[in-house]
Structure formats: C-alpha cells, structure tokens
Amino acid sequence: MDSSKAGPVKEFPVGLDEDTEEEYASQSELLQEFTNISSIDEAWVFKSESIAGIGSQAMFSVSQPNLLANKKRKYMLSCSISKVGNNNVNFQWAPFPVEMTGVSITIPSPSGSKVLVIRNPENESPTQFEIWSSSQLEKEFQIPQSTHGSVYADGWFEGISWNSDESLIAYVAEEPIPCKPSFDYQGYKKCATKDEECTSWKGQGDWEEEWGECYAGKRQPALFVIDINSGKVHAVRGIEKSLSVGQVVWAPPVEGIDQCLVFVGWSADPRKLGIKYCQNRPCALYAVKVPLYKSEAAESDLKSLEDLTAVNLTQSISSAFVPRFSPDGKLLVFLSAKASVDSGAHNATNSLHRIEWPADGKLSSSTKIIDVIPVVNYAEDGHFPGLYCSSFLTKPWLSDGCTMILSSYWHSCQVILSVNVLSGEVLRISPADSGFSWNVLTLDEDNVIAVCSSPVDVPQIKYGCLVDKANNTTRWHWLNVSSPMFKCSEKVMSLLSYLQFGILQIPVKDVSDCLTKGAAKSFEAIFVSSKVNDAPDPLLVVLHGGPHDVSLSSFSKSLAFLSSIGFSLLIVNYRGSLGFGEEALQSLPGKVGSQDVNDVLTAIDHVIEKGLVNPSKISVIGNSHGGFLTTHLIGQAPDKFVAAAALNPVCNLSSMVGITDIPDWCYVGSYGTNGKTIFTEAPTAEHLTQFYNKSPISHISKVKAPTIFLLGAQDLRVPVSNGLQYARALKERGVETKVILFPNDIHAIKRPQSDFESFLNIGVWFKKYCK
C-alpha cells in the first residue's frame, strides 16, 4: 500500500473518539439553546407621573451567560406598569435592553431619583462610584486603593445604604492594603512607604486568615461612608478590628444627634472558618454613630470620643443578620440562624425577631429582643414548616407598615410569604396548588412582582394583587405578565412541552430508628418524566449538596437539558434538607453516609415499585455532599447504578478535615451536635478512623459504575485532592473513570465555559452508558 496517498489521520480532542464526537456536537447545540435563557437578578419599582395619572416604572437587572468571554453579561430592561382593576395589568417594555458593562452593583436611592453605580476594579486601580439622575451622570468619584479596595458585592458581606436625605452612602469594602515590609540590596528597609520603588521590593509580612471559599485573596470587610456632594470617604470609627462587617443600613434620623448605622459583625475569634453557604458562624447586630465631619480639625477632635464605639444590640442571641427598619422607624427586624450556630449544622431553620428602636437614638446593649417567628421543629401537613430564607428585599413592606413580603422554602417549593411582624401571623400568598416555585422580585406598593417556574416550565413574571380583606382572610390574585425575558427557541419549548413533573411523598423506611417525630415524617422527591413514552426513560437520580440545602421545584437550565435528551429525573430531598422543619433537618448530623444514603435508595425503590422507571438503567449525579452521596451509593449499592457523575465530591473526610475551610463540619457531620464540642484542629487517630468509616472511600473496593468527575482546582471547601484521590483509586481498580479539571473554578463550577463543558460531558457520559 502506498502510504504517500493515504489521507491525513483525523485527530480528536482529548477524551473523545469518533463515536462520541457526533454526540458531543449534537448535544452541544441543544445545550447552547438552554444556556442562552436569561435570568432576573434584581428588580426595582419607581413611582412616576404620566398623562393618564400616577403609574409605576420598573427596572430589571438581567444576566445571561457569555460563553466566549467566560463571564455573565448583565443588562437592564425597563418597563412602565399600568394596572386596571384587579384583573388586568399592562407592562410596556422598553424596545431594547441596555448592557451594563463593567458594573458590579446598582442601588437606587430611597426616593428613586438617583441611582448609585459601582464599578469594581479587576486590578489595583481605583473603585469607581457614579451617581446618575434620570437623564445624566451627575457625579463620578475614583476611590484609590489607599482608601479601600473593592466594594463587596457577594450577597453576604455586601451592604450599601443611602441615608434618608440622600447625601451619604454607607457601604462595605475591603480594608486598604496593609503596609508590608520593604527590602532592598542592603536588606530590610526602615521607614518604608506603601508604594513599591524600583530599587526595592515588598515582602509578604504576616499571613492573614480569610473567610474561606469565595473569599480567597479578599481583605477584611470594613465600613465606609461617602459624602456624594464632596466625594469624601470616611472609614467608620469605633468598630473592633477583629470584626468583619456587612449588611449595613442607616438607622432613622433623630434631630440633634449624629446619624447612626446598624450593621452585622462576625468575629474572627478564635479563627475564620469558611462562611459561604454557612450560617453557623456567630454574628450580631451592632450600631455605631457616624459624626458628620465639617472639617479636618473637627475630625481630629472626634477621634477619641467614647460614644463612637459600636454597641452590640443582640448580645442575648448567637446570630443576628439582615437588619431592616420598619417604614415608621420604630422597629428593627432581623433574621437569626441561632439553630444553626447552636447545633453546628451549617444551615438550619431560621427565626425572625424585632427590636423596639429607641426614639431618642440612645443605643443600648440590653435592648429586649422579641420573637416574631420562632424556629419550627415540626409541622403537620399543610402547615408552615418554618422560615428558610437568608435575605429580604431592601423595601419588603406593605403599606400597613408592619407586613413584610419575603420568599422562603416550603418543602420542595419556594413560596412567597406575608409576615406581620407585630402579631407574628404568617400567610402563604403564592398559589399552593401547582407545585411551582415562586420568588419575590420587588413590590409595587401593595402589589408583588414575582417570578415563578417549574422543572419543565421556563420562568415567567407574575403580578400579585392584594384583594381587600373579607371575613378575616386576605386573598391575593395573581396575573400573568407578558415579558421579553426568558425567551427560548421553539426547539426548547417543544422539548419541554413533552415533559411533566410531580412531587412525590416518600415514606421513611425504618421509623423505629427515628428519635423525633419530624425525623419519621415522609420526605420528598421531584420526579420529572416524559408525557409520551410508553417505556420509561433511563433514570437519573439528582442529589443536592449541603447537605442542609434543598432542590426546588424551579427551572434549572442544566437539569432541563438532561431531561430533554431523554432522561427521567428523580431529584431527592433526603432528610436533612431545608424546608421540612428543624427535627427532620437535625436527624442527619452524625448519620451522614447512612441515613441520607438509605433515603435515596428508598426513593429509588419507591419509583421502581410504582413502575415509573426501568431498574436496569439508573444513574446518579451530585455535587459536594451530593457527590458524597453519589460516591457512597455506587459503593454501597454497586449493582443499582450503571453510571455516575460527581462534581467536587466529598470522598474522604479523614483527608479533607485538615485542608478544608470548614473542618468543623467534618466533626458535626460525623458525630452530630457533639462534634461541635469535640472539634479540634488536631484530630486524634480515633477521629480520623471515624471520618474514614463515614466516607465513600471506605466502600471503593465494591464500585463498578463508570464515573465522571468534574473538579474545580481552586476549591477551598472540598479541595481537589479529595476527588482526585478517589478517581485514581477507581482507575487502580479498573473502573472506567473520566476526570475533567477546571483550573480556575472554585467549589461551585459556575463559570460559564466550565458549567457548559461540565454538563455537555455529563450528558454524553450518561447517554453512553444508558442506551
């Protein structure tokens, strides 16, 4: 044979062959169509004058993945709202959205006449503050790194608040870069400046602890105030250096005394443990006075005043966050995660409290805290299961001044609640009969703008109208809103139209092991399937992380994609999930790797017994603790699963405990609440044995299922070595294994390109083994 006449040998990308390349191309095209669907991040409503009278203007902050740039594309879309009676509302949308390039934060002023736009730097350049009116840019300030670093926009420490006359803005930003030791050719350089010179270099100085996952490279969050007339920035005084601050709001002004700020403070004593997704970090509400410095001399004179010291308002409770003042300024309302802090569970059932705010502005650490919504341990069917939310709207109040509107988890759904903070009355105001999930976006006076969706229905905007009270009941009427957002292709809509979902009640298998009434109660699973197939599609079991989290009956682009390529989904909310009461949640710590694994197997057996699935075509996927369950399941029930996918999975607690940002969870997960007491940075041999026995790696010799791993190399929560060790051990035992490592991703693999590549590979992997 003449080799010179042979065509070039086709090369395939790493990990692909000729059989899978076509599948990649086909699935990639469909996944792209799901990826393009937008999502609403925030919304605001402003009152406006029109020819027809007083109406409303709304502004929606929308995001869409930009795969080429590997960022989220953010844009604003505006509309006018006119309401005719209780049965009709009209949203007149602007013809085109406006892209918000480089914008980190957008915050309207209380009156709605101004908007603050903050642009955080991507390097060591200044932070940019812009004040916009309805027609133009009015002010622009550059805040240098010597004053502070980036403004926090992370949704946890983040806090930005205009004062009542809109002259001052309080906000949370990184402390300025600390002075580092300087060196030159002669060695250490005395009296060095912060600036680096060409003849010297900066040393590292002492290592500073960070708040773990998502906060790598972040400096201490601190409180600042900017005067928008002069552009002058002040660091707020009187706050202990050991406190990390966030969620700041202005207190109601009191004539004749300095204005006051209320903020949340987290102590770094004895050390900073990972705080992202973890409400079990003690925190308190503090108040501090903010003098208005009229001159440099006045500022100097006030430095030593004792009344500038921050006052702890919530000393009698272990957790207090998200402060909100009632419209009349008489009440300070806040959330508490005391159930989480006191038990060690990283998330738990929250409670709601109020403080009577002093009319004279005199701050006290002995202020009485009044319970509004206590922790709910157990709830009968149909009754309020407890409060599960981590934030409120900036303006959550109805016109009566005492009713808040908020979103919370209610079993496997997210719902909208009204809460009377005086009486404690809680009402579910979103419809309870559809199984959809609802999220409040903003209020239009006594009307609610919300978004609702399901696993098979793309999000849609709803407008809730408060109907007059009758017979001591309050009714809400929900109207459909036509919107240009959430547009998707005809192909996607057609595929979704063939799908259906339901929420299944799964009885606990062995009630005799349950120590509480709540632990014995049925848990739930969301089942998504085809409406038209005679034979069941292959089943994909989906497991959330946490474990104290919940999979909601809302639209997920990645899961809708997997449904659309021919899989039924069983999305299990095993005991320990949020939304089911505190007793059910607290039944899991100390029993990870056993109770949660058995719950998942019970849910699978439940749908098999009902004839909903083919028992020979079952796969499993999970991230974080869901990856812990995934790798446990393929080891403990090796004949049940034909394939698996694990995203940043916890595979070996004994090796994880020394390198994770939440070593305390290894103890609580393995030992229960007692783990909070025995937690140490120096685990004993007994501890390490317990961690190993609780881990999936202890069952690795039995695993048969081909498994794909998706790992973020910058993960501080479950460091990448955990997944790599397990994957290498599988390969060592001859199990087909695939690893994709994303060098710049953290625990949540959410960078647009990484998310896309992850679910493309997951789809192809499961198709390969579930034909």
Side-chain angles (χ1 to χ4, degrees):
M1 183 176 178
D2 188 355
S3 61
S4 65
K5 295 181 181 179
V9 177
K10 183 176 179 181
E11 287 192 30
F12 295 97
V14 175
L16 295 187
D17 55 31
E18 192 167 5
D19 291 335
T20 58
E21 191 178 43
E22 276 301 316
E23 189 70 36
Y24 257 69
S26 172
Q27 287 196 28
S28 176
E29 184 179 338
L30 178 60
L31 181 56
Q32 175 87 49
E33 295 189 43
F34 277 98
T35 300
N36 284 338
I37 300 172
S38 299
S39 58
I40 299 176
D41 300 323
E42 290 182 281
W44 305 270
V45 168
F46 312 92
K47 300 317 292 180
S48 64
E49 301 287 340
S50 65
I51 297 174
I54 298 175
S56 300
Q57 296 282 332
M59 191 165 68
F60 293 82
S61 174
V62 186
S63 60
Q64 183 182 31
N66 182 345
L67 287 173
L68 287 179
N70 203 19
K71 294 180 179 179
K72 276 190 176 181
R73 177 178 281 117
K74 295 185 177 182
Y75 56 91
M76 288 288 182
L77 188 58
S78 301
C79 70
S80 299
I81 303 172
S82 55
K83 183 168 170 280
V84 182
N86 289 324
N87 296 311
N88 189 25
V89 65
N90 183 35
F91 279 51
Q92 293 183 308
W93 297 94
F96 299 103
V98 177
E99 187 168 4
M100 305 293 283
T101 306
V103 174
S104 304
I105 307 168
T106 304
I107 303 288
S109 66
S111 68
S113 62
K114 300 182 181 74
V115 171
L116 167 67
V117 172
I118 297 176
R119 301 177 192 271
N120 276 327
E122 292 189 356
N123 46 40
E124 293 301 304
S125 57
T127 301
Q128 186 167 315
F129 280 59
E130 300 167 2
I131 307 295
W132 290 82
S133 68
S134 59
S135 59
Q136 63 184 18
L137 176 67
E138 288 193 343
K139 305 263 185 168
E140 184 177 11
F141 307 109
Q142 304 282 340
I143 314 300
Q145 289 279 326
S146 58
T147 301
H148 63 66
S150 294
V151 176
Y152 274 80
D154 65 324
W156 191 240
F157 290 117
E158 177 185 341
I160 301 173
S161 181
W162 293 75
N163 72 339
S164 58
D165 67 8
E166 302 184 354
S167 61
L168 303 171
I169 299 173
Y171 59 96
V172 179
E174 293 181 30
E175 283 188 341
I177 299 173
C179 189
K180 303 272 188 175
S182 290
F183 302 90
D184 59 17
Y185 66 93
Q186 291 182 322
Y188 176 69
K189 190 175 179 183
K190 293 171 71 175
C191 304
T193 65
K194 286 188 178 182
D195 299 324
E196 191 168 338
E197 301 170 12
C198 60
T199 58
S200 65
W201 76 91
K202 291 292 182 186
Q204 296 304 311
D206 288 359
W207 172 70
E208 293 185 68
E209 202 158 37
E210 300 162 347
W211 282 108
E213 178 69 14
C214 294
Y215 295 104
K218 287 277 190 182
R219 303 195 290 277
Q220 178 90 346
L223 201 50
F224 299 86
V225 172
I226 183 171
D227 184 322
I228 67 169
N229 295 314
S230 66
K232 190 168 184 180
V233 175
H234 293 281
V236 175
R237 304 184 187 282
I239 302 172
E240 291 182 17
K241 291 289 289 181
S242 62
L243 282 183
S244 294
V245 305
Q247 304 180 10
V248 62
V249 294
W250 287 95
V254 178
E255 190 173 348
I257 68 171
D258 291 323
Q259 295 191 50
C260 181
L261 289 171
V262 174
F263 62 92
V264 184
W266 291 265
S267 174
D269 184 28
R271 62 160 286 194
K272 293 178 181 176
L273 290 164
I275 201 169
K276 187 69 173 180
Y277 318 117
C278 295
Q279 291 188 12
N280 58 328
R281 308 303 173 211
C283 56
L285 295 188
Y286 293 82
V288 65
K289 291 183 179 179
V290 182
L292 299 181
Y293 305 117
K294 302 300 182 184
S295 66
E296 294 292 337
E299 182 176 350
S300 177
D301 291 343
L302 285 166
K303 283 181 181 178
S304 61
L305 286 182
E306 291 184 5
D307 65 353
L308 294 188
T309 302
V311 176
N312 186 336
L313 301 173
T314 56
Q315 285 188 348
S316 62
I317 193 169
S318 58
S319 169
F321 59 102
V322 195
R324 292 290 184 270
F325 281 96
S326 59
D328 61 9
K330 294 181 179 180
L331 300 177
L332 175 59
V333 180
F334 63 91
L335 282 171
S336 175
K338 60 182 181 179
S340 181
V341 173
D342 297 346
S343 69
H346 61 82
N347 254 337
T349 313
N350 287 338
S351 51
L352 184 69
H353 309 268
R354 74 173 191 261
I355 289 172
E356 305 281 345
W357 190 253
D360 58 6
K362 292 182 179 179
L363 306 175
S364 171
S365 59
S366 58
T367 306
K368 183 181 179 182
I369 297 173
I370 302 168
D371 295 347
V372 177
I373 301 177
V375 171
V376 175
N377 289 312
Y378 173 83
E380 297 291 347
D381 292 342
H383 289 73
F384 175 59
L387 191 59
Y388 300 92
C389 67
S390 58
S391 189
F392 302 136
L393 298 175
T394 303
K395 296 180 178 179
W397 304 96
L398 296 184
S399 60
D400 64 7
C402 62
T403 301
M404 300 179 76
I405 302 296
L406 55 90
S407 302
S408 182
Y409 304 153
W410 190 305
H411 298 176
S412 298
C413 300
Q414 187 171 36
V415 303
I416 302 176
L417 304 175
S418 72
V419 178
N420 186 308
V421 299
L422 295 178
S423 68
E425 180 185 41
V426 179
L427 298 175
R428 179 175 178 171
I429 68 171
S430 52
D433 55 356
S434 66
F436 281 49
S437 278
W438 293 68
N439 183 39
V440 59
L441 295 173
T442 188
L443 302 185
D444 182 14
E445 294 185 325
D446 281 344
N447 305 303
V448 176
I449 299 176
V451 63
C452 80
S453 68
S454 85
V456 301
D457 297 274
V458 295
Q460 50 190 312
I461 295 177
K462 298 285 188 176
Y463 192 84
C465 305
L466 176 60
V467 180
D468 291 338
K469 289 188 176 182
N471 299 323
N472 294 320
T473 61
T474 303
R475 292 190 304 112
W476 287 78
H477 183 55
W478 292 93
L479 304 173
N480 295 322
V481 173
S482 178
S483 161
M485 289 175 279
F486 313 119
K487 293 293 184 185
C488 51
S489 68
E490 289 185 10
K491 183 177 183 180
V492 166
M493 291 304 294
S494 176
L495 288 169
L496 292 176
S497 70
Y498 289 107
L499 300 175
Q500 61 188 351
F501 84 100
I503 299 176
L504 308 177
Q505 301 296 315
I506 314 293
V508 173
K509 192 169 187 179
D510 194 347
V511 176
S512 63
D513 289 341
C514 301
L515 301 178
T516 62
K517 193 176 178 182
K521 192 173 181 182
S522 296
F523 57 98
E524 290 184 350
I526 303 166
F527 186 65
V528 183
S529 61
S530 170
K531 295 177 183 177
V532 295
N533 289 359
D534 294 330
D537 286 327
L539 179 69
L540 183 52
V541 180
V542 181
L543 305 171
H544 66 71
H548 304 307
D549 201 346
V550 64
S551 291
L552 295 170
S553 62
S554 55
F555 187 74
S556 160
K557 292 188 281 187
S558 52
L559 294 185
F561 161 71
L562 293 174
S563 299
S564 297
I565 61 173
F567 292 96
S568 295
L569 306 181
L570 183 66
I571 308 167
V572 184
N573 283 320
Y574 46 87
R575 284 173 294 165
S577 301
L578 300 176
F580 294 85
E582 187 65 7
E583 288 182 355
L585 185 143
Q586 292 293 349
S587 70
L588 182 56
K591 299 178 181 177
V592 296
S594 52
Q595 177 179 294
D596 43 8
V597 169
N598 290 332
D599 282 356
V600 177
L601 292 173
T602 300
I604 294 170
D605 290 342
H606 182 83
V607 291
I608 290 175
E609 289 166 9
K610 287 185 171 291
L612 299 175
V613 303
N614 182 342
S616 66
K617 293 186 177 181
I618 301 176
S619 301
V620 60
I621 179 174
N623 70 296
S624 190
H625 189 86
F628 173 86
L629 291 178
T630 294
T631 46
H632 253 306
L633 285 160
I634 58 177
Q636 292 193 40
D639 297 319
K640 202 130 192 155
F641 303 96
V642 296
L647 295 85
N648 285 331
V650 177
C651 298
N652 187 349
L653 289 166
S654 59
S655 63
M656 175 177 152
V657 68
I659 52 176
T660 177
D661 66 335
I662 55 166
D664 57 320
W665 170 247
C666 297
Y667 279 85
V668 174
S670 300
Y671 287 96
T673 300
N674 187 46
K676 184 174 183 286
T677 306
I678 65 174
F679 163 55
T680 171
E681 297 285 0
T684 65
E686 179 190 342
H687 295 161
L688 295 174
T689 301
Q690 172 81 340
F691 297 151
Y692 184 86
N693 291 337
K694 291 282 186 179
S695 299
I697 201 163
S698 66
H699 301 279
I700 199 165
S701 63
K702 297 173 281 185
V703 175
K704 302 175 183 177
T707 305
I708 182 172
F709 294 84
L710 298 308
L711 306 175
Q714 306 303 317
D715 188 351
L716 298 179
R717 183 61 40 91
V718 185
V720 66
S721 56
N722 226 247
L724 287 176
Q725 180 198 21
Y726 190 91
R728 288 168 178 149
L730 282 188
K731 282 186 177 181
E732 183 179 87
R733 287 158 175 76
V735 178
E736 187 162 357
T737 307
K738 183 181 179 76
V739 177
I740 300 179
L741 182 67
F742 299 99
N744 298 311
D745 280 82
I746 55 177
H747 190 55
I749 303 175
K750 288 300 180 186
R751 288 158 58 91
Q753 292 175 2
S754 307
D755 182 61
F756 186 89
E757 188 175 354
S758 291
F759 279 91
L760 176 58
N761 277 277
I762 288 166
V764 171
W765 187 261
F766 285 138
K767 276 280 193 177
K768 178 179 179 180
Y769 293 103
C770 297
K771 287 179 181 177

